[in-house]
Amino acid sequence: MQEASPRTAAHDPISALVGDDCSWCANGALTRAEFKGDDAAVCDDCGTPAARVW
């Protein structure tokens, strides 16, 4: 069985998206947040998730 390794900034897809503009609205930027219990990049204005890791 392979052991899971902790995510580093270079391999963390959520961190790579933080600060990007939202694709769904004109004013938002992506922030790290929880979405339905999972780590996600979520728009700080409209709340739409751009990526979710479970």
Side-chain angles (χ1 to χ4, degrees), residues 16-31 41-46 48-51:
L17 294 171
V18 170
D20 286 357
D21 292 337
C22 178
S23 297
W24 300 101
C25 71
N27 301 320
L30 300 179
T31 60
V42 179
C43 177
D44 62 359
D45 190 46
C46 71
T48 302

